[in-house]
């Protein structure tokens, strides 16, 4: 028989998918546009292969893990003994699960709820009000887009996002959509203040002086705010909100609403067989979720863990979350070299790399379920 037919069929399927992706992207209306058009079935470009879908994970009997993501109260920072115990809790979380929640963190509830409301407001405006902001150009400081890796990843996610590069150079106010203007800048200022505090705690957790990460590793110079909108999904079992991934950041501070869906892949420490389990990060009133990113795992020479996480698709919604990715941006990214801080008796586990090299690799790869750090491991 003609051997070339299979190749032709595959290429046609690939071409069809490419056309479908392009047609979706050209609407500039995102997943919200599909929902507004009344779709009752999830289009094929959003179908994930069964093995990567949450429901097809092996069933995990609930007695197997009683693991919860720790909640750390920062109110204790006022006293030396309180500070020591907070540092201990942060160290424990960063070295094991890479995730923790913080309360009494100094970001007022009002600023948090206003931020979530502003993200809803923007995404629920008429499509033609959102369209001018729709872009895949990383040179733009404000980018509304559905799936940053739409054309690279194996399957699209059921979410829309607006990315705003807030630091080192924030956009001019008129560049920010009116629904978010003023609110996003204020929230970013508060998140940055918390980040500075967390960097001190993480420095102390590595037995370094409090200013070490901020000054020497220059972890403070950039903030990308990513506001995600996950519409209710008609067939949540076929797709995901966000594919499993770890973050291209030093640290991520996440504000989430009360719908839930965020899950972290935790080594099952209680079982001999090294299976991992997906653990929910529950919505805790007033809390912010903090996680170690790839760059901090590199700089800490693997002491702190940048752990994979995902968001499951949901029949309820919309779910709204706002992630602040702290990392180097712009011109500095090409000169800022990250290198591991090697503790006595250890060796460097990573080669030195610039932030730009790390980020370029992350973007080229897309969300494919593998760690971007592997490429730089020694």
């Amino acid at each position: 028989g003609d051997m070339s037919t299979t190749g032709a069929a595959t290429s046609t399927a690939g071409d069809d998918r490419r056309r479908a992706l392009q047609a979706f992207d050209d609407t500039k209306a995102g997943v919200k546009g599909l929902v507004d058009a009344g779709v009752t079935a999830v289009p094929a470009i959003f179908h994930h292969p069964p093995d990567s879908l949450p429901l097809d994970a092996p069933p995990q009997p609930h007695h197997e893990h009683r693991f919860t993501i720790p909640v750390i109260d920062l109110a204790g920072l006022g006293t030396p003994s309180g500070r020591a115990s907070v540092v201990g809790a942060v160290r424990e979380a960063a070295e094991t699960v890479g995730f923790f929640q913080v309360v009494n963190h100094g970001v007022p509830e009002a600023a948090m709820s206003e931020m979530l409301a502003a993200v809803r407001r923007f995404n629920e405006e008429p499509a033609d009000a959102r369209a001018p902001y729709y872009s895949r150009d990383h040179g733009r400081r404000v980018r509304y887009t559905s799936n940053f890796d739409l054309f690279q990843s194996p399957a699209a996610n059921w979410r829309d996002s607006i990315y705003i590069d807030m630091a080192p150079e924030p956009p001019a106010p008129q560049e920010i959509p009116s629904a978010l203007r003023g609110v996003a800048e204020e929230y970013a200022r508060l998140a940055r203040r918390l980040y500075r505090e967390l960097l001190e705690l993480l420095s102390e957790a590595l037995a370094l002086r409090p200013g070490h990460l901020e000054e020497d590793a220059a972890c403070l110079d950039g903030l990308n705010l990513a506001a995600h909108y996950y519409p209710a999904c008609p067939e949540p079992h076929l797709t995901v909100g966000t594919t499993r991934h770890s973050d291209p950041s030093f640290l991520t501070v996440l504000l989430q609403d009360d719908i839930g869906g965020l899950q972290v892949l935790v080594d099952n420490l209680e079982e001999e067989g090294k299976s991992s389990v997906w653990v929910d990060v529950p919505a805790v009133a007033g809390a912010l979720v903090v996680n170690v990113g790839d760059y901090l795992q590199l700089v800490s020479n693997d002491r702190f863990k940048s752990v994979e996480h995902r968001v499951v698709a949901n029949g309820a919604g919309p779910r709204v979350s706002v992630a602040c990715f702290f990392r180097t941006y712009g011109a500095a990214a090409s000169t800022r070299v990250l290198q591991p801080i090697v503790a006595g008796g250890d060796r460097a586990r990573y080669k030195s790399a610039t932030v730009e090299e790390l980020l370029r690799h992350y973007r080229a790869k897309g969300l494919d379920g593998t760690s971007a750090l592997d490429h730089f491991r020694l």
Side-chain angles (χ1 to χ4, degrees):
D2 181 357
M3 294 301 287
S4 67
T5 50
T6 50
T10 314
S11 127
T12 311
D15 291 345
D16 287 351
R17 176 174 165 76
R18 178 95 197 171
R19 267 194 297 274
L21 291 170
Q22 193 62 60
F24 169 67
D25 205 40
D26 288 344
T27 67
K28 299 186 187 304
V31 173
K32 181 67 164 70
L34 298 176
V35 171
D36 289 345
V39 297
T40 54
V42 169
I45 57 170
F46 295 94
H47 289 191
H48 283 246
D51 61 352
S52 67
L53 284 165
L55 290 187
D56 293 81
Q60 287 143 359
H62 273 292
H63 67 264
E64 208 179 280
H65 75 276
R66 292 175 294 286
F67 197 90
T68 54
I69 303 297
V71 178
I72 300 175
D73 188 344
L74 300 186
L77 292 175
T79 66
S81 63
R83 185 174 185 90
S85 76
V86 169
V87 167
V90 166
R91 178 192 301 117
E92 169 72 12
E95 288 182 350
T96 53
V97 274
F99 267 77
F100 53 97
Q101 302 210 51
V102 289
V103 292
N104 292 313
H105 44 60
V107 180
E109 293 255 6
M112 294 164 64
S113 55
E114 280 166 28
M115 185 69 225
L116 292 173
V119 176
R120 270 186 219 104
R121 204 157 54 230
F122 172 76
N123 284 278
E124 289 165 11
E125 285 186 330
D128 55 6
R130 303 193 304 269
Y133 297 98
Y134 197 91
S135 173
R136 296 191 179 280
D137 173 6
H138 287 286
R140 281 174 66 165
R141 280 191 286 220
V142 179
R143 306 179 294 283
Y144 166 55
T145 194
S146 186
N147 290 267
F148 78 91
D149 56 350
L150 185 69
F151 295 98
Q152 289 81 36
S153 67
N157 291 328
W158 197 256
R159 73 164 188 189
D160 300 326
S161 308
I162 182 164
Y163 297 94
I164 309 179
D165 294 337
M166 297 298 306
E169 290 185 30
Q174 62 273 16
E175 289 177 66
I176 296 177
S178 58
L180 291 152
R181 195 176 302 148
V183 180
E185 297 96 316
E186 173 63 5
Y187 179 75
R189 181 185 73 77
L190 292 162
R192 229 171 156 223
R193 191 178 70 184
L194 170 61
Y195 175 56
R196 185 172 272 125
E197 181 75 66
L198 292 167
L199 279 182
E200 290 196 357
L201 297 172
L202 289 159
S203 295
E204 291 173 52
L206 287 169
L208 303 164
R209 57 188 182 77
H212 186 99
L213 287 172
E214 182 179 331
E215 296 150 28
D216 298 4
C219 295
L220 199 75
D221 38 7
L223 161 54
N224 171 254
L225 183 148
H228 300 304
Y229 184 88
Y230 301 85
C233 182
E235 298 179 298
H237 56 288
L238 293 179
T239 188
V240 301
T242 304
T243 311
R244 61 186 284 183
H245 67 287
S246 59
D247 289 347
S249 63
F250 286 105
L251 208 65
T252 303
V253 173
L254 178 84
L255 163 63
Q256 59 170 351
D257 67 11
D258 52 11
I259 292 206
L262 175 63
Q263 298 180 335
V264 178
L265 191 59
V266 174
D267 286 340
N268 191 353
L269 305 170
E270 296 167 26
E271 298 285 306
E272 283 306 309
K274 278 280 289 179
S275 66
S276 300
V277 290
W278 287 102
V279 174
D280 290 308
V281 181
V284 172
L288 290 166
V289 180
V290 179
N291 67 279
V292 172
D294 289 353
Y295 307 164
L296 184 55
Q297 177 169 326
L298 185 153
V299 165
S300 72
N301 205 35
D302 280 346
R303 280 189 57 187
F304 293 160
K305 304 290 186 284
S306 176
V307 173
E308 288 190 300
H309 47 287
R310 69 182 181 192
V311 178
V312 298
N314 202 318
R319 174 180 187 265
V320 176
S321 69
V322 178
C324 286
F325 296 106
F326 292 95
R327 64 169 178 242
T328 309
Y329 282 91
S334 57
T335 54
R336 167 76 60 234
V337 176
L338 300 185
Q339 52 195 22
I341 298 166
V342 181
D346 201 1
R347 56 174 182 82
R349 292 156 192 261
Y350 296 94
K351 53 188 179 201
S352 300
T354 65
V355 171
E356 188 173 291
E357 287 171 317
L358 287 156
L359 199 52
R360 196 184 307 126
H361 178 67
Y362 187 89
R363 286 187 181 140
K365 190 176 79 63
L367 300 186
D368 64 354
T370 66
S371 169
L373 282 178
D374 292 343
H375 187 67
F376 299 91
R377 193 173 278 285
L378 289 173

